[in-house]
């Protein structure tokens, strides 16, 4: 599958600030990437589908103004958590569908204090 | 959001034992995937299933795509300590690229 790099792996930020998470497809030009959120001991929940050159498609219940997604190139999608609050603390994971299936990034642990 | 029901929720087994877990859905999926997730990491693909009835092996792992396309199981034979982790099934939503994940099975292996 595709090689996916996610950065940072961990971030701690103050309440009210914004945090950007990057997802890179290193060996595959991805027109579509996916962003998931995972709470402790829970499953992965799809937040949005990131579309290169156009607006992201958000799942029901996900605030698009809170979770800004930008997919400006075929190898990079970013998720920005705006005006973060403690309840936004979670594990965020991106995914790329490559020629041999879906590959996931190693995740970003966000802690908002 | 939509989820697949996975059972059991957790398993505590002894090294060398075989393990079986399954995943069911009220919806039909065209693709079933099984992933393993270690703490603090993203999921890693174990087995992919593309046809109803398909039985596929990957080393000590065997998975099957149910005939009704609404379920799948994963078997692990002769478990070893490094099998510890959370196992997720995932189904690809028809006519989309989206994956829906199961609720997960947490596996603990004792020596």
């Amino acid at each position: 599958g595709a090689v996916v790099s996610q950065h940072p792996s961990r971030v701690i930020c103050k309440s009210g600030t914004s945090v950007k998470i990057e997802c890179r497809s290193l060996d595959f030009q991805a027109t579509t990437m996916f962003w998931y959120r995972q709470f402790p001991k829970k499953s992965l929940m799809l937040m949005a589908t990131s579309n290169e050159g156009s607006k992201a498609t958000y799942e029901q219940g996900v605030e698009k103004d809170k979770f800004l997604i930008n997919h400006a190139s075929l190898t990079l999608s970013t998720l920005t958590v705006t005006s973060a609050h403690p309840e936004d603390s979670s594990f965020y994971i991106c995914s790329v569908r490559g020629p041999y299936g879906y590959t996931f990034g190693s995740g970003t642990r966000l802690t908002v204090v | 959001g939509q989820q697949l029901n996975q059972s059991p929720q957790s398993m505590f087994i002894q090294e060398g034992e075989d393990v079986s877990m399954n995943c069911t859905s009220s919806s039909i999926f065209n693709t079933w995937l099984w992933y393993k997730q270690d703490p603090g990491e993203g999921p890693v693909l174990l087995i992919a299933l593309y046809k109803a009835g398909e039985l596929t092996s990957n080393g000590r792992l065997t998975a099957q795509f149910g005939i009704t396309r609404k379920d799948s199981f994963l078997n692990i034979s002769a478990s070893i300590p490094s099998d510890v982790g959370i196992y997720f099934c995932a189904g690809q939503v028809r006519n989309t690229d989206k994956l829906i994940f199961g609720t997960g099975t947490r596996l603990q292996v004792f020596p």
Side-chain angles (χ1 to χ4, degrees), chain A residues 8-10 20-22 37 50 55 58 61 63 66 81 88 99 101 112:
Chain A
S9 57
R10 291 177 178 271
K20 181 185 286 188
I21 303 169
E22 294 186 347
R37 183 174 183 178
S50 172
K55 291 182 180 180
Y58 289 82
E63 300 175 62
K66 158 69 79 175
V81 183
D88 298 325
V112 185

Side-chain angles (χ1 to χ4, degrees), chain A residues 32 34 36 38 41-46 49 57 59 91 93 95 97 100-107 109, chain B residues 1-3 33 35 37 40-45 50 86 88 92 96-104 106:
Chain A
T32 304
F34 304 91
Y36 292 81
Q38 185 178 30
K41 298 187 178 180
K42 297 294 184 182
S43 185
L44 283 76
M45 298 299 295
L46 180 64
T49 302
T57 307
E59 294 300 301
F91 193 55
I93 311 172
S95 173
R97 187 182 185 190
Y100 302 108
Y102 298 83
T103 304
F104 288 79
S106 53
R109 171 79 56 198
Chain B
Q2 183 183 359
Q3 277 195 332
L33 306 166
Y35 286 88
Q37 186 180 30
E41 298 288 333
V44 174
L45 181 66
Y50 301 104
I86 305 176
F88 289 104
Q92 183 182 346
T96 76
D97 281 343
K98 298 181 188 179
L99 287 186
I100 303 296
F101 276 78
T103 47
R106 185 178 297 269

Side-chain angles (χ1 to χ4, degrees), chain B residues 23-93:
Chain B
C23 193
T24 59
S25 169
S26 57
S27 305
I28 289 174
F29 290 97
N30 290 334
T31 299
W32 283 86
L33 306 166
W34 283 93
Y35 286 88
K36 178 175 183 271
Q37 186 180 30
D38 291 328
E41 298 288 333
V44 174
L45 181 66
L46 300 174
I47 292 181
L49 303 160
Y50 301 104
K51 284 173 23 177
E54 179 181 355
L55 182 71
T56 298
S57 293
N58 178 10
R60 294 179 295 108
L61 278 60
T62 302
Q64 184 159 30
F65 191 153
I67 291 290
T68 64
R69 291 194 284 163
K70 292 183 178 181
D71 63 325
S72 177
F73 72 75
L74 173 71
N75 287 343
I76 305 173
S77 63
S79 58
I80 59 178
S82 60
D83 290 334
V84 167
I86 305 176
Y87 291 79
F88 289 104
C89 61
Q92 183 182 346
V93 178

Side-chain angles (χ1 to χ4, degrees), chain A:
Chain A
V3 180
V4 179
S5 174
Q6 192 172 337
H7 179 80
S9 57
R10 291 177 178 271
V11 58
I12 301 172
C13 70
K14 288 187 177 180
S15 190
T17 62
S18 296
V19 173
K20 181 185 286 188
I21 303 169
E22 294 186 347
C23 181
R24 294 182 183 275
S25 176
L26 299 182
D27 62 347
F28 177 74
Q29 293 187 319
T31 55
T32 304
M33 294 187 186
F34 304 91
W35 287 96
Y36 292 81
R37 183 174 183 178
Q38 185 178 30
F39 289 107
K41 298 187 178 180
K42 297 294 184 182
S43 185
L44 283 76
M45 298 299 295
L46 180 64
M47 298 174 66
T49 302
S50 172
N51 304 300
E52 188 267 335
S54 64
K55 291 182 180 180
T57 307
Y58 289 82
E59 294 300 301
Q60 193 173 8
V62 177
E63 300 175 62
K64 60 182 180 181
D65 295 330
K66 158 69 79 175
F67 300 102
L68 297 179
I69 291 172
N70 183 277
H71 194 152
S73 79
L74 290 170
T75 58
L76 175 64
S77 174
T78 60
L79 168 68
T80 301
V81 183
T82 62
S83 187
H85 290 284
E87 58 265 30
D88 298 325
S89 299
S90 192
F91 193 55
Y92 294 88
I93 311 172
C94 69
S95 173
V96 169
R97 187 182 185 190
Y100 302 108
Y102 298 83
T103 304
F104 288 79
S106 53
T108 297
R109 171 79 56 198
L110 170 63
T111 304
V112 185
V113 297

